[in-house]
């Protein structure tokens, strides 16, 4: 997937695009392998690579519904690549539109909260990092993410904004 050869990289991304929807939530063990590789492809200057990787990422989000993708998006919005930041904030918007609220909230006492701070906090961090981005398109999508966040968690907005 990370290959410099377009045909090889394209075939690998197409393969992931074909089996990820069929796996659905069973794609979870592959998230830590596939998502960082897709992020590396999103940094490339070639638009064909970027579009193919972004489509694959959005397909995984749409069909697999895995909240473990959110921490990868949080790290991606901190990168210096504008294309990566834009792809990450668009993927975050897709997460908020596709996932149930219960998937993103971490319950006290769960194993996930012990190893990670929670997806809602990650989404808040993503919005903070992209709200003042140099790219106006990133800021515009960030505004949409914040609006969706406000709809899903109205009780958190006041504490978050202050």
């Amino acid at each position: 997937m990370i290959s410099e050869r377009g045909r090889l990289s394209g075939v690998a991304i197409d393969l992931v695009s074909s089996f990820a929807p069929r796996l659905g939530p069973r794609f979870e063990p592959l998230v830590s392998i596939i998502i960082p590789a897709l992020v590396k492809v999103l940094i490339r200057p070639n638009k064909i690579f970027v579009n193919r990787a972004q489509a694959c990422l959005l397909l995984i989000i749409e069909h697999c519904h895995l909240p473990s993708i959110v921490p990868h998006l949080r790290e991606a919005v901190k990168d210096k690549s504008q294309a990566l930041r834009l792809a990450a904030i668009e993927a975050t918007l897709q997460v908020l539109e596709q996932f149930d609220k219960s998937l993103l909230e971490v319950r006290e006492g769960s194993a996930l909260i012990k190893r990670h701070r929670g997806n809602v906090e990650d989404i808040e961090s993503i919005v903070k990092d992209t709200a003042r981005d140099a790219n106006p398109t990133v800021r515009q999508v960030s505004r949409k993410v914040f609006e969706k966040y406000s709809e899903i968690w109205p009780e958190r907005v006041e504490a978050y904004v202050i």
Side-chain angles (χ1 to χ4, degrees):
M1 194 177 297
I2 305 173
S3 172
E4 292 297 324
R5 297 186 60 210
R7 286 187 183 180
L8 186 59
S9 176
V11 169
I13 292 172
D14 289 344
L15 175 67
V16 172
S17 295
S18 68
F19 73 74
R22 288 165 181 77
L23 287 176
R26 295 177 303 212
F27 188 79
E28 177 76 35
L30 300 173
V31 167
S32 62
I33 299 166
I34 302 293
I35 301 301
L38 283 174
V39 166
K40 287 181 183 176
V41 174
L42 288 167
I43 296 172
R44 298 232 172 109
N46 187 329
K47 278 293 212 192
I48 295 171
F49 284 109
V50 171
N51 290 339
R52 198 179 275 159
Q54 186 173 9
C56 182
L57 179 62
L58 294 177
L59 189 76
I60 291 169
I61 290 169
E62 180 181 352
H63 292 285
C64 298
H65 295 263
L66 299 169
S68 59
I69 294 172
V70 177
H72 295 283
L73 298 176
R74 186 193 75 228
E75 293 303 316
V77 297
K78 295 177 183 177
D79 197 86
K80 63 182 179 178
S81 167
Q82 285 188 10
L84 177 57
R85 291 193 315 267
L86 180 59
I89 193 68
E90 287 175 346
T92 304
L93 182 60
Q94 179 88 2
V95 163
L96 291 178
E97 291 173 345
Q98 295 286 325
F99 291 11
D100 290 330
K101 179 180 178 179
S102 61
L103 276 176
L104 296 171
E105 293 176 336
V106 178
R107 305 278 184 249
E108 287 296 327
S110 82
L112 183 61
I113 202 164
K114 292 178 180 127
R115 69 168 197 220
H116 189 66
R117 62 187 181 151
N119 292 310
V120 178
E121 290 84 4
D122 285 342
I123 291 169
E124 291 171 350
S125 175
I126 289 169
V127 172
K128 283 180 184 177
D129 289 342
T130 57
R132 294 187 212 142
D133 197 272
N135 185 338
T137 310
V138 172
R139 290 192 310 264
Q140 185 178 26
V141 178
S142 178
R143 198 170 302 119
K144 289 178 185 176
V145 169
F146 179 72
E147 289 169 3
K148 191 69 177 170
Y149 166 85
S150 300
E151 290 174 21
I152 297 172
W153 294 285
E155 68 279 0
R156 292 183 64 102
V157 172
E158 187 176 323
Y160 171 67
V161 173
I162 295 175

